[in-house]
Amino acid sequence: MSGAHVLVVGSTSWGCTLAMQLARAGSRVSLHCRSAAAAEQLSAEREERRLLPGIALPDSLEFTTTEAVPPSPDAIFFVVPSQRLRDNVEEVLPALARPLPPLVSASKGLEIGTELRMSEVMAEKARTLGEAPPLVALSGPNIAREVALGLPATTVVACRDVAVAETLRDMLMTPALRVYTSSDIVGVELGGALKNVIAIGVGIGDGLNLGENARAALTARGLAEITRLGMALGAEPLTLTGLAGLGDLILTCTSQRSRNRYVGEQIGKGRFLDTVLGEMVHVAEGVDTTRVARTLARRVGVEMPIVDAIYRVLSEGQQPMDAVRSLMTRAAQQELVGRSSP
């Protein structure tokens, strides 16, 4: 969709990357920054030196703040940590002309306290303004730096309105980024959020040197847990075997750039969670999502023993090896993804 005007909210590594990608695909892009100082710095340096060092931002990219939100973009991409999405939505939406354009979440998490998916957070604020814009989720196996460098990648745009999904697809797709559409926004969002939890568990196993068999088992049985919870919440199971489910899960459980796998690995090596998180430049969404996923699973009656074990390690101080033993000594089960447990 060449010539569209897109507002990207969040100068995160993924936010800057999506702004670059949208510009490459032909859109005019405004990148909304947290402060005037951040906007001025990015505008002057044309590089996010802390998060994407060595990668030039396109000259066409515009930088905005709350005081200068463009009133009539054709689409808005929210690319902020999931626990900050509500604040950003509440800040930006009132400054926009009506009717509101499609709202796209590129955040992979679940909101603490409400257990809402990111599209539900956006919808809640829009309703207070008397609006019901199209809600879209963007998720897939995407390492920001690789997409920013133009390496081949794929992603998924999900919206209940297929025509809107196709419009957003055309805004994003280039020869280096192949974009698929889906009408299953629930599955796409849950796949992107829950894979971070399983990646922490895989990282713990790596930190404990449990081996490749254990990594494969945690990944596969983690997918079974994601699928069970997803189905209980209305997701299509096939979505969770696709790019936004299995594809993203494999990437996050294996990549050396995975923040969540790194957190788990450090815990498996005996380090404290708060210390690890305090040293990180990026946000590891899986830590908060673990708590929400556990609450959701209990509310809908879905058994998620791996998620429970990760929760006990992160939030209750259980020793990682004790958590592993608890999983390995559970009662024997059949391997039925829809009903069984690891």
Side-chain angles (χ1 to χ4, degrees), residues 2-340:
S2 180
H5 181 199
V6 182
L7 175 62
V8 176
V9 179
S11 55
T12 58
S13 58
W14 189 222
C16 289
T17 297
L18 284 177
M20 295 169 65
Q21 180 62 30
L22 287 157
R24 289 168 179 163
S27 289
R28 174 190 162 205
V29 184
S30 299
L31 180 60
H32 182 79
C33 302
R34 286 178 295 178
S35 66
E40 290 171 5
Q41 183 175 6
L42 287 174
S43 181
E45 296 177 354
R46 293 286 153 179
E47 180 184 349
E48 188 15 293
R49 294 179 178 174
R50 188 172 64 100
L51 303 177
L52 290 172
I55 299 178
L57 297 172
D59 291 339
S60 62
L61 201 59
E62 304 168 359
F63 300 92
T64 70
T65 61
T66 304
E67 293 73 24
V69 175
S72 302
D74 295 300
I76 306 175
F77 285 69
F78 287 93
V79 201
V80 296
S82 58
Q83 305 312 317
R84 298 181 199 162
L85 177 66
R86 183 176 294 274
D87 289 342
N88 279 271
V89 169
E90 290 179 348
E91 175 184 292
V92 171
L93 293 194
L96 299 173
R98 307 291 188 271
L100 291 175
L103 306 181
V104 185
S105 167
S107 304
K108 298 180 179 181
L110 300 167
E111 189 176 51
I112 293 174
T114 66
E115 291 95 51
L116 294 177
R117 292 176 284 108
M118 297 295 97
S119 65
E120 293 175 314
V121 174
M122 297 189 302
E124 197 170 83
K125 178 56 183 177
R127 281 195 298 270
T128 68
L129 300 173
E131 291 282 304
L135 303 171
V136 185
L138 172 70
S139 193
N142 303 135
I143 296 294
R145 187 171 185 84
E146 292 187 5
V147 176
L149 288 169
L151 298 176
T154 57
T155 198
V156 180
V157 171
C159 182
R160 289 189 175 91
D161 186 329
V162 176
V164 172
E166 290 173 348
T167 297
L168 271 295
R169 173 199 64 197
D170 295 344
M171 285 184 181
L172 282 161
M173 195 151 74
T174 64
L177 182 67
R178 184 168 179 79
V179 183
Y180 290 83
T181 59
S182 171
S183 60
D184 182 15
I185 191 170
V186 177
V188 167
E189 286 189 290
L190 289 176
L194 296 173
K195 56 90 184 184
N196 287 326
V197 180
I198 303 305
I200 292 175
V202 169
I204 290 172
D206 288 345
L208 291 169
N209 294 314
L210 297 184
E212 295 180 1
N213 290 336
R215 184 187 302 143
L218 280 166
T219 304
R221 296 311 303 165
L223 178 62
E225 293 192 13
I226 291 171
T227 302
R228 284 199 299 274
L229 182 58
M231 290 173 64
L233 295 173
E236 294 291 335
L238 283 177
T239 301
L240 298 169
T241 66
L243 290 170
L246 178 60
D248 204 2
L249 178 66
I250 291 171
L251 177 67
T252 311
C253 289
T254 60
S255 172
Q256 293 301 308
R257 293 187 180 275
S258 168
R259 308 164 192 175
N260 294 281
R261 193 203 66 81
Y262 171 80
V263 168
E265 182 180 37
Q266 295 304 302
I267 292 170
K269 290 179 177 179
R271 302 187 67 200
F272 292 110
L273 175 62
D274 288 346
T275 302
V276 175
L277 296 179
E279 294 173 351
M280 294 178 66
V281 174
H282 300 278
V283 175
E285 294 275 20
V287 175
D288 288 334
T289 304
T290 298
R291 287 181 256 170
V292 183
R294 180 174 179 266
T295 301
L296 274 174
R298 292 187 170 201
R299 175 158 64 80
V300 299
V302 170
E303 194 174 16
M304 300 185 80
I306 294 174
V307 171
D308 284 340
I310 296 166
Y311 174 84
R312 292 195 301 272
V313 171
L314 296 182
S315 299
E316 296 181 350
Q318 184 176 40
Q319 290 299 306
M321 201 62 218
D322 290 339
V324 173
R325 292 191 188 96
S326 73
L327 289 172
M328 295 300 292
T329 56
R330 296 182 73 251
Q333 302 281 340
Q334 285 188 323
E335 192 195 20
L336 297 174
V337 170
R339 291 178 286 169
S340 70

